[in-house]
Amino acid sequence: MSSSATQNRSSRTPLIAGNWKMNLDHLQAVATVQKLHWTLKDAGHETGSVQVAVFPPFTDIRSVQTLIDADKIPFELGAQDLSAYDSGAYTGEVSGAFLAKLGVGLVIIGHSERRAYHHEGDDVVGAKVKAALKHGLTPVICVGETAEDLERFGGSAVPVSQLEKALEGVPASADIVVAYEPVWAIGSGQAATPAQAQEVAAALRGVLARVLDDDAAARTRILYGGSVKSSNIASFMREPDVDGALVGGASLVVDEFAAIVRYQKHVGV
Ligand code: 13P
């Protein structure tokens, strides 16, 4: 990894992203986004210092988009998955074209829950990354090792291999986000240590430099995910290669998620 990539940390706007998974119906989604907006406003959160993104279930997206547009709420809207195909006989799938039309800007691809429960391998992840880029969506490419992988190969080997495969055929100019989510840390209450997150994030930035180029490595944001809370976010954000967080459970609790977004204020980095 080139040290210039790490030194450019200040050029990467931190991204705090809430992956709601299969939680909150469209009415709850609207209430949650409204409350989050007002909580951050009341706290004097400076829009632009940290980018905020929410990833609701598909059925909520239209309602959240309407709210964000109407109230000029400065949150990015994301989806949790997309189809590798544009349209056709793929019952139950959602096309990137449809998401783009709804104002979705980001899409999670290769989350470990989809890899595990829906048997999505690196080939499917790669096809979805290309589909996202084709429709102007920014893929949030998730990689991470299981506890068994960690024991056998250390932290970096599996995430590095997953990212290399996901980036095959991706142009260096592509706008992407990478999320390092150790499977053993997701929903377990046992987050990685900041040093573990940094070690893997640095290795992933090395992949970006090698497979894409130095500029891509310097500008691409790498998030940490796995039991992120308001009490540990600042320690991750102090690491030079960690540019934000992909938050699961804690993103469903507005005050807690707002405190994570405001990590610079309430703990000081
Ligand atoms: P938790 O924050 O609940 O551990 O989930 C992390 C995650 O999977 C985000 O995509």
Side-chain angles (χ1 to χ4, degrees):
M1 198 231 4
S2 65
S3 58
S4 62
T6 296
Q7 282 158 14
N8 278 338
R9 164 74 151 87
S10 58
S11 67
R12 299 189 291 269
T13 303
L15 171 61
I16 301 293
N19 174 12
W20 294 359
K21 307 191 179 183
M22 197 171 75
N23 293 291
L24 308 183
D25 63 34
H26 74 286
L27 299 173
Q28 295 167 321
V30 165
T32 300
V33 168
Q34 240 160 1
K35 185 170 175 210
L36 180 63
H37 176 51
W38 284 108
T39 302
L40 288 170
K41 250 194 148 167
D42 284 352
H45 176 68
E46 207 181 300
T47 302
S49 62
V50 173
Q51 196 175 19
V52 178
V54 291
F55 293 76
F58 287 131
T59 49
D60 300 0
I61 287 178
R62 175 67 163 150
S63 306
V64 172
Q65 179 237 357
T66 303
L67 171 68
I68 283 176
D69 275 9
D71 288 6
K72 298 190 173 47
I73 296 178
F75 300 165
E76 299 295 319
L77 183 55
Q80 297 175 18
D81 187 32
L82 85 170
S83 171
Y85 304 101
D86 294 347
S87 64
Y90 302 103
T91 301
E93 294 288 283
V94 175
S95 162
F98 306 161
L99 297 173
K101 202 143 212 174
L102 281 176
V104 168
L106 298 157
V107 59
I108 292 172
I109 295 174
H111 192 281
S112 63
E113 287 149 18
R114 293 213 62 88
R115 291 183 193 256
Y117 309 145
H118 301 269
H119 313 291
E120 291 190 8
D122 290 322
D123 49 343
V124 171
V125 171
K128 289 186 172 188
V129 168
K130 291 200 192 68
L133 292 171
K134 177 178 175 185
H135 294 293
L137 304 169
T138 299
V140 179
I141 303 171
C142 296
V143 296
E145 82 288 359
T146 63
E148 197 191 336
D149 296 333
L150 178 67
E151 201 151 293
R152 288 180 65 191
F153 312 115
S156 298
V158 167
V160 159
S161 158
Q162 289 173 336
L163 184 59
E164 283 169 349
K165 289 176 184 141
L167 292 179
E168 271 171 28
V170 169
S173 59
D175 188 18
I176 62 171
V177 172
V178 177
Y180 168 51
E181 298 206 304
V183 179
W184 48 270
I186 294 175
S188 67
Q190 189 206 340
T193 65
Q196 280 175 311
Q198 167 58 26
E199 184 187 328
V200 179
L204 295 174
R205 204 172 297 286
V207 173
L208 295 169
R210 196 157 45 27
V211 178
L212 302 178
D213 61 20
D214 278 346
D215 182 59
R219 75 166 188 275
T220 298
R221 288 172 295 181
I222 300 178
L223 314 181
Y224 167 75
S227 297
V228 169
K229 309 184 270 253
S230 62
S231 57
N232 63 20
I233 179 66
S235 63
F236 289 110
M237 296 307 290
R238 278 191 204 102
E239 298 295 340
D241 285 296
V242 177
D243 306 310
L246 186 54
V247 185
S251 72
L252 301 171
V253 183
V254 168
D255 288 334
E256 176 67 1
F257 190 62
I260 293 171
V261 171
R262 288 174 42 75
Y263 68 92
Q264 291 157 319
K265 294 288 182 297
H266 71 98
V267 191
V269 174

